[in-house]
Amino acid sequence: AIFLNNCIILINMKKYLLFLLLLILIIITGCITPRPPGDGGNYPSTGSPNGIRINFLPDLPPSNIREGNSLTAELELVNYAACDIKGKLWLDDVVDDSQGGISNSLDKEFGLSGAKAKQNPEKITLRFSRNENLKPYTNLPFSYLDVTLLATAVYDCSISAAPKICVKSVENTESCPIRETITGSSLNAMVGPVTVTKVERSYNPEAGGSANLYVDITFSKMSEGRVASSLELQNPFTSSALNEEDLVSIEVSFGGTPLICKDKGDYFKENKLLFKPEFRERIINCEALITSVNELTAQPLLIEMDYIYRITQPKEIRINK
């Protein structure tokens, strides 16, 4: 009986140890971040469109300021895009120049490295303090004056997407579905304020080792901000800058063969996509005759994008007598 009891205790201990080892393994596995499918390490994980975010630091400026006191503003810029960024941050207010404040828009240049991981975006702090174009607020018409400060960042961004697609000819015996929709991390898309969010691929196999490739590419932008013109990098408030078209330059190729693209709304011309402020997404339709398909059954579809982006962050302050 004693021997039997010892055996039962030993079996229960082994079960407990096995359960403990299994629990430790589950915890360790859960702590490891898996690499997105098809990601060779060259691109951050595909995600929602994202870019520069502007934050007014607490109490810089404070929400309430006494008339005649100077204004100091300190802003934090955080880059959630994968592209290395160079641009300008502009600060202005919505108030008559006779009442002080910012008589001409203030600007500072900045540069930020692309986010290599969502958990570690690069950030920078820029300060605007009293100078010849930043004066105390005066001549209040009432006991207080409400002022809106506008911080505007304009910057360039160059990113790409490289989803792997398959194409085959009549002679090729490898498996490749005629149609395919690619989304999520399989897009191998770099995160940016405008990025690729869906690719729909189809093909028509031909004899002689070739095939006609057809690709519909969806581009989406982040909810804040808009695509801007190149002149807005110099000064976003001039009439000539605002009248220039807001374009995204796009190049698409497969195995070294460029694809010819168009869209249904006549917004894509000469490899440039007009992305109006009211647009949240645009689709272009691309095609090409791919030769030597037997060597190109599964290759990246390279989608390269280059554009200027603009985002504005307001802050309300009150000037008291």
Side-chain angles (χ1 to χ4, degrees):
I2 295 173
F3 174 77
L4 182 60
N5 286 337
N6 288 338
C7 288
I8 292 172
I9 292 171
L10 184 60
I11 291 171
N12 288 334
M13 287 182 65
K14 286 184 176 180
K15 287 183 178 179
Y16 175 77
L17 288 174
L18 286 171
F19 173 80
L20 186 61
L21 288 172
L22 180 61
L23 180 63
I24 292 172
L25 181 62
I26 291 172
I27 293 172
I28 293 174
T29 304
C31 292
I32 298 174
T33 303
R35 186 179 298 278
D39 186 357
N42 297 322
Y43 307 100
S45 300
T46 296
S48 300
N50 212 342
I52 289 286
R53 302 284 178 167
I54 306 172
N55 303 309
F56 281 90
L57 294 186
D59 296 325
L60 285 170
S63 298
N64 289 275
I65 299 175
R66 284 288 180 183
E67 180 183 15
N69 288 352
S70 59
L71 173 72
T72 297
E74 195 161 320
L75 299 105
E76 178 187 70
L77 273 65
V78 187
N79 183 19
Y80 292 98
C83 48
D84 295 335
I85 283 172
K86 288 185 179 180
K88 280 187 179 182
L89 177 68
W90 301 79
L91 184 67
D92 208 341
D93 60 9
V94 183
V95 67
D96 191 88
D97 288 348
S98 64
Q99 295 171 316
I102 303 171
S103 56
N104 290 301
S105 302
L106 307 174
D107 68 275
K108 289 182 181 291
E109 293 185 353
F110 68 89
L112 286 166
S113 297
K116 306 307 178 188
K118 291 183 180 180
Q119 296 81 4
N120 189 32
E122 184 168 314
K123 59 184 69 175
I124 191 172
T125 301
L126 299 176
R127 174 186 284 262
F128 295 89
S129 55
R130 183 173 180 174
N131 61 24
E132 64 274 11
N133 291 323
L134 179 55
K135 302 178 176 65
Y137 292 97
T138 57
N139 302 322
L140 272 62
F142 308 105
S143 60
Y144 65 88
L145 173 68
D146 287 331
V147 176
T148 301
L149 296 176
L150 298 174
T152 299
V154 184
Y155 58 95
D156 60 356
C157 182
S158 297
I159 59 172
S160 61
K164 279 191 176 180
I165 64 172
C166 65
V167 180
K168 72 171 189 175
S169 65
V170 172
E171 294 84 0
N172 196 318
T173 58
E174 295 188 40
S175 174
C176 179
I178 292 294
R179 298 183 181 277
E180 179 184 20
T181 298
I182 305 170
T183 58
S185 58
S186 296
L187 288 167
N188 276 344
M190 298 172 71
V191 176
V194 176
T195 191
V196 176
T197 52
K198 184 166 68 172
V199 169
E200 296 177 279
R201 188 271 308 149
S202 63
Y203 71 95
N204 181 27
E206 300 283 348
S210 64
N212 289 296
L213 172 64
Y214 306 97
V215 181
D216 296 336
I217 306 170
T218 300
F219 298 87
S220 303
K221 80 172 187 68
M222 59 189 284
S223 57
E224 299 87 359
R226 62 173 178 81
V227 177
S229 68
S230 57
L231 288 179
E232 291 183 72
L233 273 177
Q234 303 170 30
N235 189 334
F237 307 111
T238 61
S239 58
S240 58
L242 294 175
N243 289 331
E244 189 176 331
E245 291 186 327
D246 310 327
L247 302 172
V248 179
S249 296
I250 300 170
E251 300 280 349
V252 184
S253 62
F254 178 71
T257 300
L259 274 68
I260 299 173
C261 302
K262 59 182 180 180
D263 77 328
K264 295 179 180 178
D266 200 29
Y267 293 110
F268 189 79
K269 297 178 181 178
E270 297 178 353
N271 293 326
K272 296 183 186 299
L273 177 63
L274 177 62
F275 220 109
K276 292 184 176 182
E278 63 268 25
F279 292 164
R280 291 299 301 275
E281 69 175 32
R282 300 306 301 167
I283 299 174
I284 64 173
N285 317 109
C286 307
E287 61 181 82
L289 175 63
I290 307 299
T291 58
S292 303
V293 169
N294 293 339
E295 290 79 35
L296 295 173
T297 299
Q299 293 287 328
L301 176 75
L302 182 58
I303 307 164
E304 299 175 287
M305 298 156 276
D306 182 71
Y307 49 87
I308 310 295
Y309 205 79
R310 169 178 175 167
I311 187 169
T312 297
Q313 178 65 43
K315 179 173 182 176
E316 304 292 334
I317 62 173
R318 174 165 288 187
I319 315 301
N320 298 289
K321 276 190 179 295

